[in-house]
Structure formats: C-alpha cells, structure tokens
Amino acid sequence: MGFPESFLWGGAVAANQCEGGSKEGGRGLANVDLCPAGERRKEVICGHGKSLCLEEGQFYPSMEAIDFYHHYKEDIRLFGEMGFRVFRLSIAWTRIFPKGDEEEPNEEGLAFYENIFKECKKYQIQPLVTISHFDCPMYLIEKYGGWRSRKMIDFYLKLCRVLFTRYRDYVVKWLTFNEINMILHAPFMGAGLCFSDGENEEQIKYQAAHHELVASALATRLAHEVNPENKIGCMFAAGSVYPFSCRPKDVWEALVTDQENYFFPDVQARGYYPSYARKRLKKAGVFPQMEPEDGEILRENTVDFISFSYYNSRCASASSQETAEGNLFQSVRNPYLEYSDWGWPIDPLGLRITLNQIYDRYQKPLFIVENGLGAVDEPKEDHAIADDYRIGYLREHIQAMKQAVEEDGVELMGYTVWAPIDLISAGTGEMKKRYGFIYVDKQEDGKGTLSRFRKKSFYWYQKVIATNGEEL
Ligand code: BGP
C-alpha cells in the first residue's frame, strides 16, 4: 500500500521565476520580463497597464531572478541530494526563438536546456517540461497581439517541434501550457494580451484561449508523432470551489465558478467544448472564431494525463461576502480555514476533495505539479532556517494526497512541490515570498550573494522521498 514505487517525487520551477540571465545566450525579451515588482504589477499582468519595454524607475525581478542560469549545476545537485525523481521546469521561449518567428532556433538556448537535462540525468532525475509557463516573446505580442492571433499556433508549434526533436533522448513528459485558465485572470502574463479601452475583453480572452486549446491539441499530436513514448499533460490552476452555505443559490454559484476553470481541462481531456460553455459564451455574446478543422483537432488529440496546481480551495456565494486572496484570484473567505502570510487559505483536505473530483471527471492519471507554502523565512546567523510552518503545510497536503491514493483509488503519477528553491513570486514579483527547501540569499531590493543554503525542510523532504512518503 502507500504510494506506488514508480511515484514521481520532485519539485517545480518556471524559467521566468528562476533563470535570470535575461540578456544572455541570445535570449529575446518576453512578456514575463516586463512584469514589474510593486504596485504596477497587477495592472500589467492583467493586460491593463501596457508594458512593452523596460522602463526607467521600474524593478523587473525576473531579469536576474535567482540566476539559475549560472547556478543550475549547483541547484540540480541539491535536488539530486534530496532524492528527486522528477524536476519540473519550463522553457524560456525567447531563448529558443528570441523573436518568435525566426526560421532557425538559437543554438545557445537549445544547448542551455540540453545541459540541464544532462545534469538531471547524472542524478537519475527525469525532467517534466512545461513548454510555456507564462511566457510569450514580446516581438509576437507587438506584431500580432499575442494569443489573440491565430498565427501564434504556428509559432508555438514550431517551438514544440524543435523541443520534441532536439530533446527526444531526454524528455518524455511535457505540459503544453502552465495554468491555462489563468488567461482569464492574468491575461498579459498568461497569454500576452493587452487591452485597449472599449475592447470586449471576454471575447479576446476566449479567442486567445481557443487558440491555445487548438495549439495544445496540435502539440499533443506532434509529440506523439515525434516520439510515441511522449506523454502530454494539460495543466490548470485547480482548487475545488465550495458553496459558502448549503443555500441552493450558493451551491449553484460554486458549481458555475468551478465550471469556469474546468472548461479548459474539459476541452483538453475530453476533446470538445462542454455544452455549458457553449451556451454561456453565446449568452454572454462571446463568439470565438473557429476554423472548420478545429473540432476534429480537439477531438482526436486529447491529453494523456491531467496535471494541476493546488494551493487552496475556493469558496463562492450568491451574495456579497468578505473576500480572501488566493492563487492570482480572490474568492469568498472561508471561515473554517487558516490563512498563510499572504492571506491564502490553507486546506489540505481540499486537496483530497480536488483530486477526487478531477479523477471522477476525467478518469485519466493525475499529476500534482505545484503545491507549496509561500512564507517569510528568517535565517539565523549561521543561515539555518527552521521552516516548520512549511513542513507542516506539506506534511498535511501529502497526507491528504496519500489518502486520495490509498483510500479513494485516485491514480496519481507524482507530486512536484512549488518550489524546491526560493524564487520570484509570479503574483507579486516579490522575493521575500519564499517557497523553497533551499534558501537563496537574495533580498527584496535585488541585493544578496545568491548563495544557496539548505533549510530544515530540505532534510525533511529528503526523508519523505527516501521512504516513498511513509515517513512524514
Ligand atoms: C502559480 C504559478 C507559479 C507560482 C505559483 C505561486 O500560479 O504557476 O508560477 O508562482 O502560482 O504563486 P505566487 O508566486 O504568486 O506565490
């Protein structure tokens, strides 16, 4: 009993939150580089504060991040020391195609990831690669408006073909888009969408979503063609929505909010637009333009597994209630839960509920590719960090996941903690919101030695992996 022997324990990062080296290796500028820290960030990531070039006086935390670009050997060695079996990372699109529409890929960028995969191999760590984790070349945004244009499908597929071919010997697990449903909540960061006054934003977001869904299906087909061993997953920001009360109107509100998120994996896993989405989009006057072949593309190229991030459950009510923060979007405050330093609810049982609901819905293998606690860490003079709060959070979530596997029969491939090493927060751009087992000496103002230190949780997770989740 317990977790299967093949269970994939590991950690997850994203290029734009850890790599830095933004101007090195021939890399081009991407939307994620242009999301400033501080007050303007929210506006920018939502597509309302146009940010098309680096501006004086703004701090762009992704430009250096934690400099994984130069530290990857050291970092992967530490992941190996923890016993990782999988490392989830993403590709910076603009390292491979700096503008996005070049004929030939950039060899320096390709070599960078190849070296990472070689390093992983040394420690028997298999890579799980997110093709696009909130990442879009600025050139394509300026020229075509990002994913609002159907042309993006071709550029994206070109990237996919290069990746699938070049890394055939290293990578067999891929995710097409990180948290694809974030297009609705952070459209510039998620899909390179900037809005002008008076535009019908819902129409644009769902049009872009349609393009990504078709691109995801075509990438799935291509991956299977290039290497029949390839397994492709969709990835969405999950977390079941609870009704605030048993009042039917609250239950209804929760169901509809859930469907808004499930729309994406529904299409990717089942292969067609669910009828609730078709009806509601039409009623809202949203008509994404589709080509005659799209139906068949979606139908014939569903994903092999379902992956998702889980930080918290959500709550919905038909009447106005106090709100709580959460992974990029707010929801109703649940009075039964505790909250993190950043006001996110903490709900381990919610993970078991979410796993059950997703598995019931799709009956495909699941993969938890993000789960973790963002908190303030205070190192002692000798750099020791006793992050018992983080251990507590993870322990309870792993316990819940274990119950889902052992007692509920959910088929789960693996678990990658967000994030094994401190990095830049996607939502706030902060460095002080730390998730890692490994502390990085880099402070909010960008200063620090970038040295790495093992936290208490490092040794704890090492034991969890060594015992295959038996000792928590
Ligand atoms: C998800 C993203 C990650 C990560 C995580 C934590 O939305 O996929 O990139 O950052 O959330 O969120 P934050 O960094 O805002 O704490």
Side-chain angles (χ1 to χ4, degrees), residues 11-13 86-89 128 130 133 175 178 235 369-370 416:
V13 301
V86 63
F87 172 42
R88 174 178 173 230
L89 73 159
L128 167 63
T130 316
H133 190 129
L175 308 179
N178 178 64
M235 174 357 175
V369 295
E370 281 184 37
T416 54

Side-chain angles (χ1 to χ4, degrees), residues 360-385:
D360 280 351
R361 200 170 180 111
Y362 304 118
Q363 298 286 300
K364 292 197 184 204
L366 308 187
F367 204 140
I368 301 169
V369 295
E370 281 184 37
N371 173 237
L373 179 72
V376 175
D377 289 328
E378 275 160 13
K380 301 226 179 73
E381 263 177 32
D382 61 352
H383 304 293
I385 293 158

Side-chain angles (χ1 to χ4, degrees), residues 236-295:
F236 74 111
S240 297
V241 184
Y242 303 155
F244 186 66
S245 76
C246 52
R247 193 165 59 128
K249 279 186 174 173
D250 284 352
V251 178
W252 175 249
E253 199 60 33
L255 184 135
V256 171
T257 315
D258 249 343
Q259 284 176 330
E260 193 177 274
N261 291 317
Y262 280 132
F263 160 67
F264 295 86
D266 276 358
V267 177
Q268 290 171 294
R270 295 166 167 171
Y272 54 89
Y273 271 51
S275 39
Y276 66 80
R278 276 191 273 119
K279 294 282 183 195
R280 275 186 219 138
L281 288 176
K282 195 168 162 197
K283 192 163 171 219
V286 173
F287 299 98
Q289 200 188 329
M290 303 186 190
E291 297 305 316
E293 66 273 22
D294 291 356

Side-chain angles (χ1 to χ4, degrees), residues 90-133:
S90 76
I91 304 286
W93 188 337
T94 54
R95 281 201 193 288
I96 312 298
F97 289 102
K99 284 163 68 187
D101 69 347
E102 292 87 344
E103 278 304 309
E104 294 301 322
N106 170 31
E107 178 51 37
E108 228 180 316
L110 284 171
F112 171 64
Y113 293 107
E114 186 162 345
N115 288 336
I116 289 183
F117 300 143
K118 282 186 180 155
E119 214 55 31
C120 288
K121 213 171 181 174
K122 268 195 203 165
Y123 305 98
Q124 284 105 45
I125 300 173
Q126 63 162 292
L128 167 63
V129 175
T130 316
I131 297 165
S132 171
H133 190 129

Side-chain angles (χ1 to χ4, degrees), residues 17 133-134 178-179 311 327 344 370 418 425-427 433 435:
Q17 291 168 263
H133 190 129
F134 299 154
N178 178 64
E179 293 188 337
Y311 292 91
N327 185 10
W344 293 19
E370 281 184 37
W418 185 272
S425 157
K433 188 177 188 188
Y435 282 89

